[in-house]
Amino acid sequence: MMSWHSVWVLLLLSALLPGQVFAERVEGIYEAEVPVAGQSAAVRSAGIREAFARMLVKATGERELLVFDWFNSVQKRAPRYVQQYRYRMLPPPPTGEAAAQPVAEGAAAQPDRLLWVRFDERAVNRLLRDNGLPAWGSERPSTLVWLSFDNGRQRTLYQPEMEPELRESMQVVAQQRGLPLLVPLMDLEDQTAIQSSDIWGLFEQNIRSASERYLPDVVLVGRLRRLAANSWSADWTLYDAEGASSWQADGANRQQLAQQGVEQAGNLLVARFAPKAGALDAGTLRIRIAGVERLADYVLVRDYLKTLVMIEQLDLLQAEPDRVSFLARVQGGREALRRGIRLGGVLEPVVVEAPLAESAATALSLDQQSLEYRLR
């Protein structure tokens, strides 16, 4: 067994190693960009408050927080969370366009630049936790969207190149929520792999098989049906590794329904991967990881676990020649942690047939459940 002296040497050396690279992550969560008119102090202050609101939606995945009672008072203090800001000019309107659209007296000036703001990640996360909100990590589930339309005469699969504005409207919502969104190419390979009948029949095996080329974490399937001139309905199904969730919606057009579908999918994913503080009391779990044989393996595992937003505190508990054990204070419970670890793809679960020997130090906290993994 590795001595505790060796463990401390290991920890010291690990600080000298470069950071590890994990799965693709959502970038710019604690940043936002808003259009403004000029660079006056008043305009900048208003722009920072608006950027702060947009950033909070991305950081939590929760759009509803903007109507919470505490938000107005917190938004007024937005400047204290700013780390950096800068401007970039918008392209001028086409010649003659400004003259053709005169500004009414008293109307706000038209934006002529964008204000980019970066906020302090640690301070924002502390604010969220203090208010019982999830601070969703940068590693988030990628969502592949399949759509099929029924106009009353025929059923067709959504072709992105034929209706790019629909894809763009879904991407806008996804970017606001910080959700990685994928739309099928609908090339020959896709057209061979999946048909409208697979979508309307919810043939899960065919849908999952056709989705494999995109390597999504979850698959969102929408069946949109036209009822009248300005009336559509949608049936949505979200597939993940644990099963499926379904819901219905109504709207005036396909674009509205598609945006609603992405919104609701975001709500479900936030609930699964970023539990609210207080939804389940924070508890302590032991995480044992096999296949950790080198210093680099240890650093990889430790740094990866620290990126999981549901882990509030991580302590090394035990080190052995080929495995390490951590004690983790987890918000949201065992299932939240299990989902987060599975999403990253760094560790794979293992089944332990017989209890492992435990040292006296380990036994001090064995009123907790353990999770067993192996480094991939």
Side-chain angles (χ1 to χ4, degrees):
M1 178 180 295
M2 187 181 298
S3 69
W4 282 105
H5 173 73
S6 299
V7 168
W8 286 115
V9 173
L10 183 71
L11 293 173
L12 178 62
L13 290 175
S14 68
L16 304 177
L17 294 183
Q20 303 294 323
V21 178
F22 305 110
E24 183 178 353
R25 301 174 183 178
V26 176
E27 301 294 337
I29 291 175
Y30 297 90
E31 305 170 4
E33 196 171 47
V34 296
V36 294
Q39 294 184 205
S40 69
V43 167
R44 181 171 63 252
S45 180
I48 287 174
R49 292 195 298 271
E50 174 62 24
F52 187 69
R54 296 188 184 189
M55 177 276 300
L56 285 181
V57 171
K58 282 195 296 181
T60 63
E62 293 269 7
R63 193 183 297 279
E64 291 77 12
L65 66 84
L66 301 183
V67 300
F68 290 176
D69 292 338
W70 63 270
F71 174 71
N72 287 334
S73 61
V74 168
Q75 191 180 28
K76 293 175 183 178
R77 303 196 301 270
R80 70 176 61 177
Y81 295 95
V82 174
Q83 269 190 340
Q84 185 181 0
Y85 71 86
R86 62 172 177 261
Y87 297 92
R88 66 183 179 94
M89 300 301 297
L90 287 169
T95 304
E97 183 173 313
Q101 298 179 355
V103 178
E105 184 177 354
Q110 292 296 311
D112 61 352
R113 67 200 70 199
L114 292 170
L115 171 62
W116 173 86
V117 188
R118 174 185 292 157
F119 297 92
D120 186 322
E121 178 178 349
R122 291 186 177 180
V124 169
N125 287 345
R126 185 165 55 249
L127 169 69
L128 296 174
R129 291 193 182 96
D130 290 346
N131 286 276
L133 290 166
W136 201 359
S138 59
E139 200 165 294
R140 304 186 179 188
S142 58
T143 303
L144 176 68
V145 183
W146 296 100
L147 297 178
S148 183
F149 308 126
D150 184 343
N151 62 9
R153 298 185 302 274
Q154 62 178 345
R155 292 173 173 175
T156 58
L157 287 171
Y158 170 55
Q159 304 285 338
E161 73 280 2
M162 301 293 292
E163 198 173 349
E165 63 275 9
L166 182 59
R167 176 185 58 209
E168 292 167 5
S169 66
M170 290 190 292
Q171 290 286 3
V172 167
V173 174
Q175 289 169 3
Q176 292 171 350
R177 301 291 295 272
L179 183 65
L181 196 71
L182 306 171
V183 178
L185 297 172
M186 290 313 300
D187 55 9
L188 183 59
E189 182 174 347
D190 284 340
Q191 294 175 36
T192 302
I194 194 167
Q195 307 296 321
S196 289
S197 56
D198 295 318
I199 300 297
W200 288 92
L202 290 182
F203 296 138
E204 182 176 348
Q205 183 174 352
N206 292 355
I207 293 170
R208 289 185 181 273
S209 177
S211 303
E212 286 178 356
R213 67 182 293 204
Y214 298 100
L215 301 177
D217 295 297
V218 297
V219 179
L220 178 62
V221 175
R223 299 175 293 169
L224 282 62
R225 180 183 289 106
R226 184 177 183 179
L227 305 177
N230 294 307
S231 178
W232 286 73
S233 69
D235 294 294
W236 294 97
T237 302
L238 185 72
Y239 295 104
D240 63 11
E242 298 180 358
S245 302
S246 299
W247 67 95
Q248 295 180 320
D250 298 310
N253 51 57
R254 299 190 298 187
Q255 180 172 321
Q256 185 182 86
L257 283 175
Q259 291 179 318
Q260 290 176 1
V262 175
E263 286 278 15
Q264 180 60 19
N267 293 340
L268 292 173
L269 294 173
V270 167
R272 294 178 188 178
F273 294 100
K276 293 182 181 179
L280 288 172
D281 292 337
T284 304
L285 295 171
R286 182 177 53 188
I287 311 170
R288 294 195 284 207
I289 303 165
V292 181
E293 301 175 352
R294 303 173 300 163
L295 175 60
D297 294 337
Y298 167 77
V299 176
L300 173 73
V301 169
R302 182 205 61 182
D303 289 355
Y304 169 67
L305 291 176
K306 285 185 175 182
T307 67
L308 300 179
V309 70
M310 65 285 299
I311 294 182
E312 295 184 349
Q313 182 176 338
L314 185 72
D315 297 307
L316 179 65
L317 186 62
Q318 188 177 20
E320 301 177 62
D322 64 345
R323 75 175 66 244
V324 292
S325 296
F326 293 95
L327 206 59
R329 184 168 175 80
V330 179
Q331 187 69 52
R334 179 187 178 95
E335 285 305 302
L337 179 57
R338 190 175 62 82
R339 291 191 187 107
I341 290 177
R342 187 189 67 235
L343 183 64
V346 175
L347 306 175
E348 59 182 1
V350 298
V351 177
V352 179
E353 297 180 356
L356 296 175
E358 293 156 353
S359 68
T362 307
L364 293 176
S365 57
L366 287 188
D367 54 344
Q368 307 89 13
Q369 295 180 343
S370 294
L371 291 174
E372 307 285 346
Y373 287 91
R374 180 180 299 279
L375 180 63
R376 290 183 184 273

